[in-house]
Amino acid sequence: MATMTDPPVEGFRLSQLIYDTRYRSMTIQVVAFILIMLGLVWLANNVVTNLQALGKDFDFGFLGNRAGYDINQRLVEYSNDSTHGRAAIVGILNTLLVAVLGCITATILGVFAGVLRLSKNWIVSRLMGVYVEGFRNIPLLLWILVIFAVMTEGTPQPRDFRGEDAEASMILGDSVAITNRGIYIPNLVFNRSLGGNEVDAETGAVVASQSAGDMILLLVVIIAGFVASGFIGRRATAIQEKTGVRPPGTFWMRLGAVIVPALIVLVALGATLEYPELRGFNFADGIHLRNSLIALWFALSLYTGAFIAEIVRAGIMAVSKGQTEAAFALGMRPSWTMNLVILPQALRVIIPPLISQFLNLTKNSSLAIAVGYMDVRSTLGGITINQTGRELEGMLLLGLFYLITSLIISGAMNIYNNSVKLQER
Amino acid sequence: MKKSVFLGTLAASALIAGAASAQTLAEVQERGSLNCGVTTGLTGFAAPNAEGEWEGFDVGVCRAVAAAVLGDATAVEFVPTTGQTRFTALASGEVDMLARNTTWTFSRDVDLAFEFTGVNYYDGQGFMVPRELGVSSALELDGATVCIQTGTTTELNLADFFASNNMSYEPVPIETNAEAQQQYLAGACDVYTTDASGLAATRATFEDPSAHVVLPEIVSKEPLGPLVRHGDHEWGDIVRWTLNALITAEELGVTSANVGEIGGTTENPEIRRLLGTEGELGAMLGLEADWAANAIAAVGNYGELFEGNIGESTPIGLARGLNAQWTDGGLLYSPPFR
């Protein structure tokens, strides 16, 4: 009679937590978790105790108080009677403005420089090499300060434009003024603005003005035009693939889809250009691109562009040389080869590091403080903190803002990356 | 159980760390030097000279406190701070005191939890413009571009002044006085505004000071004085009474030249108490009996300090004005030493 023996039931001993590999990793993780939590509790407790010792409390109420200071560049309504919270929003928009402008120019610059650095033309490739190495290896802050100093010291003051034989004059048919306070360019204004127009009391003439609605309408129409243009293009391609003949005039139809509706809107709103004009101490009217914005924008673009150029170069070099040779064998022009064969494949390598560069540029925009550009670091993280003494709260909000912005950029770029990456089956 | 003991220990150690901030005097004496927050450079008030030694009116206050506490006016570590970093530096304990053209305001005293220990300069905000602009009054500045140091009371006053006079302006925010000076001279702003004393000090460093005018309007009260953290009253008393000692010394005719012997020879009991030859005032502060004598010997009395650094015989050329003794029609008035 065969007896079945049960496998021996081992009792669980405490020492197994250390010596048994099945449990050891768990033990280590639990211990580490407890230690980290204790560390965090200690830090939080330390903060609370020290704040108490300093006689301070933890309160975000200051965001609702009157700010009392002025901000020169504001994309939304703001005056010194507004709240600290609104000042923070003005700063956030200024940060986003310079980040978006910077990302666009840096990408364009980077792609051009990266492609040209691989050029067979010795001078072109070396020039790009000098650009890339020059900007990559010198701190960003220096470039911001250099560009700002050149703009401030090297351009005329507004009062040099005054008088009969002025030392300086406006360029492009008296429409653009380059001064040491920034560049004044003509502004688009409307005689039949959606926000309503004022009428000059003396002459009875309509004063051209602009509301946010005008610009949004114009933007929507232009974007719709591009969508329609893309639709026409896809339809033409479909017909071409079916019949072998591309419908005639497709190019003009696509162009018209973008331009005609925009023109209609401009005429309907009675668009005119408002030229900058020297009045009092400064130029008035027109759009004022402040030196601080220009310096920050250019420096960020040039600096990040140099890094993007290297990423683009690496991406292109990652595409097998056989692809180029095959394209040439088919008789494709070098420019077509680059645009249709090499770059689409290189994108898969380029996009992931490009995300980091966009994040870097956005975060580096906080160097704005060096040239007095009123970004969120200067408003919420600078003046507000200084006037209210709420360092901890302000810095937490600032950190939260940069974190959220970075996550959004990263998320959006990852969606794009998923759409261009190699589809494996 | 163990955990709560652990947390309790942590909390206790944190409390001790908190309580330690109430012993600045002991810390300074143990360290052997005073950490004093000053500006990053404003000629006459606080700036390094050609040898790299800090000198000026505010620096004198730091040195006087060091002399009173340590008996050595050179035992000072000067920490340059900007308008934005100064309060953090003080609150975090990086400096023991600030002597840096800081305006005594309600919210700084109460909400930021600092203690102003007196006024060493009664000031007001003014405007400076290039003479060739032809501006003679601040009320003609509508539309001007104004350079302003950020995080200061002047920034807030400026907004109020232009708003209340229904004028507009374009602020150019700047971090330090040196940057503001450079921007102003390059013409990137039409106007530079800060405390009138700061304007005078800045103008004195220009190549051609006469090409710039300080407009007559004074648009605010700016009582500037040294400050310390809330919660350490002994230390606050030391800084307050060191400043008062300098003011009283001028009132009573005690100078850096006669401070050595006058304590022994004078019949005036207040001078004797001030200089420690009578009474226990030094011991009440936890200092040596000759603390005030040391301070006066190191930097001179208030008048000497003023005349030597920013007075009419210096390039900065400030008149005593409001900063004269109360006996001369000014606002300087020290509580008595008794």
Side-chain angles (χ1 to χ4, degrees):
Chain A
M1 183 172 159
T3 50
M4 290 274 287
T5 50
D6 285 335
V9 181
E10 278 184 40
F12 180 77
R13 295 183 309 279
L14 270 181
S15 62
Q16 274 181 307
L17 284 178
I18 296 172
Y19 297 113
D20 190 328
T21 48
R22 284 175 297 173
Y23 301 113
R24 185 156 58 199
S25 62
M26 288 277 243
T27 317
I28 294 173
Q29 286 184 47
V30 168
V31 169
F33 177 76
I34 290 175
L35 284 179
I36 289 172
M37 283 298 127
L38 283 178
L40 288 179
V41 166
W42 179 73
L43 279 179
N45 184 48
N46 203 12
V47 167
V48 171
T49 320
N50 277 318
L51 280 180
Q52 264 170 7
L54 287 173
K56 289 185 174 185
D57 54 349
F58 191 77
D59 180 17
F60 286 99
F62 70 97
L63 287 174
N65 296 344
R66 179 178 180 271
Y69 60 92
D70 281 298
I71 300 176
N72 50 16
Q73 178 179 306
R74 40 188 188 264
L75 301 176
V76 290
E77 206 64 37
Y78 173 85
S79 76
N80 58 55
D81 283 328
S82 307
T83 62
H84 281 295
R86 190 147 186 101
I89 290 172
V90 173
I92 285 174
L93 289 176
N94 285 345
T95 295
L96 293 180
L97 174 74
V98 80
V100 168
L101 289 176
C103 284
I104 293 171
T105 22
T107 313
I108 297 172
L109 254 172
V111 170
F112 270 103
V115 170
L116 289 181
R117 203 178 177 189
L118 291 170
S119 162
K120 289 210 174 58
N121 185 321
W122 190 86
I123 294 181
V124 170
S125 71
R126 287 310 134 99
L127 267 181
M128 287 304 132
V130 168
Y131 157 64
V132 168
E133 298 308 332
F135 275 88
R136 236 160 47 112
N137 294 310
I138 294 176
L140 174 57
L141 184 60
L142 288 188
W143 285 116
I144 296 177
L145 291 174
V146 163
I147 296 176
F148 188 64
V150 167
M151 303 266 324
T152 311
E153 308 277 351
T155 48
Q157 305 176 22
R159 62 169 178 265
D160 292 340
F161 289 80
R162 198 173 289 133
E164 283 301 307
D165 49 340
E167 291 170 42
S169 58
M170 295 164 77
I171 57 169
L172 296 178
D174 268 4
S175 62
V176 174
I178 300 176
T179 74
N180 64 354
R181 291 170 195 178
I183 299 177
Y184 295 82
I185 59 173
N187 188 12
L188 194 62
V189 290
F190 304 98
N191 281 318
R192 289 181 288 276
S193 168
L194 293 177
N197 288 82
E198 288 175 31
V199 177
D200 195 37
E202 283 174 26
T203 58
V206 173
V207 182
S209 68
Q210 188 189 64
S211 69
D214 301 326
M215 277 304 172
I216 292 171
L217 178 67
L218 194 60
L219 204 65
V220 166
V221 168
I222 289 174
I223 291 171
F226 273 106
V227 172
S229 159
F231 179 74
I232 295 170
R234 274 197 302 280
R235 185 172 150 273
T237 311
I239 292 175
Q240 188 179 16
E241 280 170 0
K242 217 180 200 171
T243 65
V245 183
R246 199 169 176 82
T250 303
F251 174 76
W252 295 109
M253 279 168 66
R254 291 185 67 172
L255 198 66
V258 176
I259 292 179
V260 173
L263 274 181
I264 291 173
V265 169
L266 286 179
V267 172
L269 292 175
T272 46
L273 282 180
E274 181 190 62
Y275 293 103
E277 192 188 340
L278 194 58
R279 228 172 21 227
F281 291 96
N282 284 317
F283 280 90
D285 299 338
I287 298 176
H288 182 192
L289 300 172
R290 286 176 179 77
N291 268 348
S292 49
L293 170 65
I294 295 172
L296 191 65
W297 173 18
F298 271 33
L300 283 172
S301 307
L302 287 168
Y303 182 78
T304 315
F307 285 90
I308 294 178
E310 287 295 88
I311 292 170
V312 169
R313 185 166 74 108
I316 291 172
M317 288 172 82
V319 177
S320 153
K321 196 160 186 284
Q323 300 279 327
T324 317
E325 290 167 349
F328 284 167
L330 287 172
M332 286 180 100
R333 286 189 226 150
S335 64
W336 287 17
T337 309
M338 184 53 81
N339 288 333
L340 297 174
V341 179
I342 308 296
L343 278 183
Q345 299 187 65
L347 269 187
R348 290 171 193 146
V349 182
I350 291 172
I351 300 293
L354 194 62
I355 301 176
S356 308
Q357 291 307 322
F358 286 172
L359 294 182
N360 278 350
L361 190 148
T362 308
K363 289 179 291 178
N364 283 342
S365 69
S366 57
L367 288 170
I369 191 86
V371 287
Y373 179 74
M374 299 301 278
D375 72 334
V376 67
R377 162 74 186 79
S378 308
T379 59
L380 174 66
I383 303 176
T384 291
I385 281 185
N386 209 265
Q387 302 290 10
T388 60
R390 301 278 173 191
E391 291 100 347
L392 190 64
E393 294 92 331
M395 281 301 161
L396 280 178
L397 285 178
L398 201 59
L400 197 67
F401 162 72
Y402 280 112
L403 180 68
I404 291 174
T405 314
S406 296
L407 288 178
I408 289 174
I409 294 174
S410 172
M413 289 296 289
N414 272 315
I415 291 173
Y416 179 62
N417 186 36
N418 284 335
S419 72
V420 298
K421 80 175 179 196
L422 196 58
Q423 307 290 336
E424 292 180 24
R425 286 173 227 283
Chain B
M1 186 66 201
K2 262 214 167 119
K3 196 171 155 190
S4 67
V5 171
F6 178 56
L7 284 182
T9 324
L10 278 178
S13 59
L15 270 177
I16 292 165
S21 70
Q23 293 158 1
T24 316
L25 174 61
E27 267 177 48
V28 170
Q29 281 170 338
E30 193 177 329
R31 200 190 301 132
S33 73
L34 172 77
N35 291 337
C36 196
V38 290
T39 72
T40 50
L42 180 63
T43 314
F45 285 87
N49 63 13
E51 282 85 48
E53 273 175 34
W54 285 85
E55 60 180 22
F57 186 64
D58 285 332
V59 164
V61 176
C62 297
R63 293 203 188 280
V65 173
V69 174
L70 303 165
D72 179 5
T74 60
V76 190
E77 286 290 329
F78 291 99
V79 181
T81 57
T82 69
Q84 290 218 11
T85 60
R86 54 186 165 178
F87 296 130
T88 317
L90 180 60
S92 67
E94 190 186 340
V95 297
D96 303 312
M97 60 177 283
L98 271 184
R100 165 189 198 288
N101 316 84
T102 298
T103 307
W104 186 349
T105 69
F106 181 93
S107 65
R108 286 172 179 176
D109 198 335
V110 178
D111 192 39
L112 297 193
F114 294 128
E115 186 174 340
F116 283 81
T117 58
V119 176
N120 71 336
Y121 192 91
Y122 289 94
D123 209 343
Q125 180 176 354
F127 299 93
M128 177 164 66
V129 294
R131 193 175 289 280
E132 59 173 314
L133 273 186
V135 174
S136 59
S137 159
L139 296 169
E140 297 168 19
L141 291 177
D142 193 11
T145 303
V146 184
C147 279
I148 175 93
Q149 288 184 55
T150 61
T152 57
T153 48
T154 45
E155 185 170 43
L156 305 179
N157 297 333
L158 179 73
D160 290 350
F161 174 74
F162 274 81
S164 61
N165 286 295
N166 212 4
M167 302 192 297
S168 66
Y169 71 105
E170 156 104 12
V172 177
I174 280 160
E175 186 83 339
T176 67
N177 191 60
E179 283 171 48
Q181 181 176 333
Q182 183 238 334
Q183 292 285 306
Y184 170 76
L185 285 178
C189 44
D190 302 303
V191 188
Y192 179 35
T193 181
T194 186
D195 297 339
S197 63
L199 290 180
T202 307
R203 189 171 68 158
T205 63
F206 288 176
E207 219 167 290
D208 179 13
S210 63
H212 301 269
V213 275
V214 175
L215 300 178
E217 282 86 356
I218 297 293
V219 300
S220 68
K221 290 186 290 185
E222 307 282 344
L224 310 177
L227 59 154
V228 298
R229 281 179 295 276
H230 250 192
D232 187 348
H233 303 294
E234 290 79 8
W235 179 247
D237 287 341
I238 289 171
V239 178
R240 174 177 303 113
W241 285 98
T242 306
L243 180 61
N244 283 338
L246 299 184
I247 295 171
T248 303
E250 187 189 19
E251 188 187 341
L252 300 178
V254 180
T255 66
S256 56
N258 66 15
V259 68
E261 77 274 12
I262 196 173
T265 57
T266 183
E267 291 301 317
N268 184 331
E270 184 157 19
I271 295 181
R272 296 176 66 89
R273 283 194 299 272
L274 175 69
L275 299 181
T277 46
E278 187 183 305
E280 294 279 302
L281 294 188
M284 290 180 202
L285 282 175
L287 299 175
E288 303 290 324
D290 59 352
W291 64 282
N294 284 340
I296 298 162
V299 300
N301 63 33
Y302 183 91
E304 290 176 87
L305 196 58
F306 193 102
E307 291 308 329
N309 290 298
I310 54 178
E312 278 169 327
S313 58
T314 66
I316 293 156
L318 291 171
R320 282 296 285 269
L322 289 177
N323 295 292
Q325 289 285 340
W326 64 286
T327 46
D328 298 335
L331 292 177
L332 284 189
Y333 187 102
S334 162
F337 276 72
R338 63 168 66 248

